[in-house]
């Protein structure tokens, strides 16, 4: 990854966890984000209800920073991080989310508009852009 300022892209990610030690899970994900980006800004860690109205509440955070990775590589690294931290097919089927990491904004483009519009993202996003 290049972090020399020439090929850096601003990226904003959403982090969520609804099982296990939710705050620890989020904080570990934020540390992971620091390892793949620079000049990071982090929201607080906060709780929101599950968006469909059923299931366990989530702890969430939003972070932005600059990365030298291309989109596909950063997204793959995020999904590898999820799997290493307990996210698998069985969890997905049961609605159990040890950790979820999603790229919501890439280089000023909102690539996950549904997530961008949700309260779970907007709470943290407003903290880091203010």
């Amino acid at each position: 990854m290049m972090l020399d300022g020439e090929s850096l892209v601003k990226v904003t990610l959403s982090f969520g966890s609804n099982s296990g030690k939710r705050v620890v899970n989020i904080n570990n994900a934020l540390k992971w984000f620091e390892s793949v980006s620079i000049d990071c800004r982090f929201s607080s860690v906060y709780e929101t209800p599950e968006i469909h109205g059923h299931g366990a509440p989530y702890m969430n955070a939003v972070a932005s920073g600059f990365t030298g990775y291309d989109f596909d590589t950063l997204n793959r690294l995020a999904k590898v991080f999820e799997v290493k931290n307990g996210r698998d097919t069985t969890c997905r089927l049961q609605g159990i989310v040890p950790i979820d990491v999603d790229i919501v904004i890439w280089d000023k483009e909102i690539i996950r508009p549904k997530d961008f519009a949700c309260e779970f993202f907007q709470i943290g996003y407003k903290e880091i852009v203010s």
Side-chain angles (χ1 to χ4, degrees):
M1 174 176 73
M2 294 179 56
L3 290 177
D4 61 8
E6 287 185 33
S7 315
L8 298 179
V9 174
K10 186 171 184 183
V11 60
T12 304
L13 282 71
S14 175
F15 303 87
S17 175
N18 76 352
S19 70
K21 295 180 179 179
R22 298 174 303 155
V23 173
V24 171
N25 297 344
I26 296 295
N27 285 327
N28 287 341
L30 296 175
K31 287 177 189 166
W32 166 82
F33 183 63
E34 281 185 305
S35 76
V36 296
S37 63
I38 61 170
D39 295 334
C40 302
R41 294 193 67 174
F42 302 104
S43 73
S44 59
V45 178
Y46 51 92
E47 186 174 76
T48 61
E50 197 274 339
I51 62 173
H52 301 292
H54 54 81
Y58 279 76
M59 295 307 291
N60 302 276
V62 173
S64 68
F66 295 86
T67 188
Y69 289 112
D70 61 60
F71 176 84
D72 291 333
T73 301
L74 184 61
N75 194 53
R76 181 181 50 78
L77 291 171
K79 299 312 164 189
V80 166
F81 177 82
E82 289 178 354
V83 170
K84 284 184 178 178
N85 286 274
R87 189 130 193 233
D88 61 20
T89 304
T90 302
C91 289
R92 289 176 192 273
L93 294 172
Q94 296 175 349
I96 297 169
V97 182
I99 192 66
D100 183 34
V101 179
D102 292 313
I103 302 169
V104 178
I105 303 172
W106 178 265
D107 197 21
K108 300 179 185 173
E109 180 182 350
I110 298 168
I111 59 169
R112 292 181 68 102
K114 287 178 88 174
D115 287 358
F116 182 84
C118 284
E119 180 183 32
F120 72 78
F121 181 79
Q122 283 297 315
I123 290 170
Y125 185 64
K126 287 175 183 173
E127 284 185 30
I128 64 171
V129 296
S130 61

